[in-house]
Amino acid sequence: MGFVRERLDLAGGVAVVTGAGSGIGRAIAIGLADVGARVVVGELNEERGRATAAAIEEAGGEAHAVQADVRAREQVQRLVDAALERFGDIHVMVNNVGGSFQLPTLDLSDNGLEAVLRVNLKAMFLGSQIAARAMIAAGHGGSIVSTSSGSALQGDAVGSAHYSAAKAAILGMTRSLAAEWARHGIRVNAVAPGGVNTPGRVRNMREDVGSRAVEHAPLRRLAEPEEIAAGAVFLASGLASYVTGHTLVIDGGGSTTGIS
């Protein structure tokens, strides 16, 4: 086995992926299983989580679905505990859950702002902290990958200031955690997708905004979830063994035009 195949191989590894019932999270969970990881599928919607786990198992992998609301510490703890109990360890944590709504900032309430911060930033903090504690206790290090957004890197004039702020905070925390936990052998990175063809985007994004993202991206299309998953799998794997504190932008070149 050559260097690339050897480093990409996660056989024997255990990964937890949040928001893995659909879209980018599902693609990441399946991608990690495809390179050998045993996967704990974290998902608020129990039926969707089980469907992802079933897809992994049908392809010959190992998976275990756990219903969890990652805004609550005890439920994130349950996800990590499930990995330890079912598979005996945890090597990779993927904080993928996120979400928002479009609303002009002048109309945004305190509750709306706090809701977006909880589901994006707080969930990332809880997942990272709880997984890192388990990795440090095991003494083998690990990899933490969080899903941010191209919106974290530039301004957005369509009522997404709260979302951009939450996703930008993930990048700041990623860099700080990378510096803090490097001595434990834990790498901490993020992916920042541009427009992605997911059910959530189709459901929540205004049509004119989606069209603008396609028109201004040099590659002239939205990404497929598997294209974002490929970046997350790279960062989780040994191929990225000297990469930490990094944000991998996967936006079809959208950031070169100021649109993502």
Side-chain angles (χ1 to χ4, degrees):
M1 183 180 293
F3 172 81
V4 171
R5 288 187 182 180
E6 180 179 330
R7 291 296 184 94
L8 185 59
D9 187 3
L10 291 177
V14 179
V16 174
V17 183
T18 69
S22 63
I24 294 171
R26 176 183 170 90
I28 292 173
I30 291 172
L32 288 168
D34 195 39
V35 294
R38 295 165 288 173
V39 182
V40 172
V41 176
E43 172 58 50
L44 182 61
N45 183 301
E46 186 174 10
E47 183 178 352
R48 289 203 300 254
R50 288 181 176 175
T52 297
I56 289 171
E57 291 173 342
E58 287 169 7
E62 294 182 70
H64 176 54
V66 177
Q67 184 180 28
D69 182 343
V70 294
R71 296 169 293 187
R73 175 175 292 275
E74 65 275 10
Q75 296 200 36
V76 179
Q77 185 68 61
R78 189 168 76 236
L79 275 177
V80 174
D81 288 346
L84 300 177
E85 292 166 8
R86 184 68 173 252
F87 299 125
D89 214 335
I90 179 172
H91 302 91
V92 175
M93 180 73 190
V94 180
N95 300 302
N96 172 71
V97 166
S100 188
F101 52 89
Q102 290 182 320
L103 189 70
T105 305
L106 292 177
D107 299 326
L108 183 65
S109 69
D110 292 355
N111 286 340
L113 174 62
E114 290 165 5
V116 171
L117 290 173
R118 282 197 304 272
V119 77
N120 291 281
L121 179 60
K122 182 182 179 183
M124 179 267 186
F125 162 71
L126 292 174
S128 299
Q129 184 191 65
I130 293 169
R133 285 174 174 167
M135 293 170 182
I136 292 168
H140 54 49
S143 176
I144 297 171
V145 181
S146 301
T147 302
S148 180
S149 170
S151 296
L153 305 172
Q154 57 200 30
D156 193 334
V158 294
S160 297
H162 45 310
Y163 179 70
S164 296
K167 290 300 191 181
I170 286 174
L171 301 186
M173 187 170 286
T174 292
R175 290 189 292 270
S176 293
L177 297 182
E180 185 176 343
W181 294 340
R183 64 192 178 94
H184 299 294
I186 297 173
R187 296 182 299 102
V188 188
N189 294 289
V191 292
V196 184
N197 184 25
T198 65
R201 183 181 180 93
V202 172
R203 183 172 58 251
N204 298 322
M205 183 65 70
R206 288 194 340 236
E207 184 177 351
D208 63 310
V209 176
S211 297
R212 186 179 62 153
V214 172
E215 290 170 3
H216 289 271
L219 291 185
R220 292 287 187 170
R221 63 178 177 84
L222 297 177
E224 293 302 320
E226 292 77 12
E227 293 176 298
I228 311 305
V233 171
F234 161 71
L235 291 172
S237 76
L239 280 177
S241 58
Y242 202 59
V243 180
T244 194
H246 179 67
T247 299
L248 179 59
V249 179
I250 311 173
D251 66 354
S255 55
T256 67
T257 65
I259 301 293
S260 66

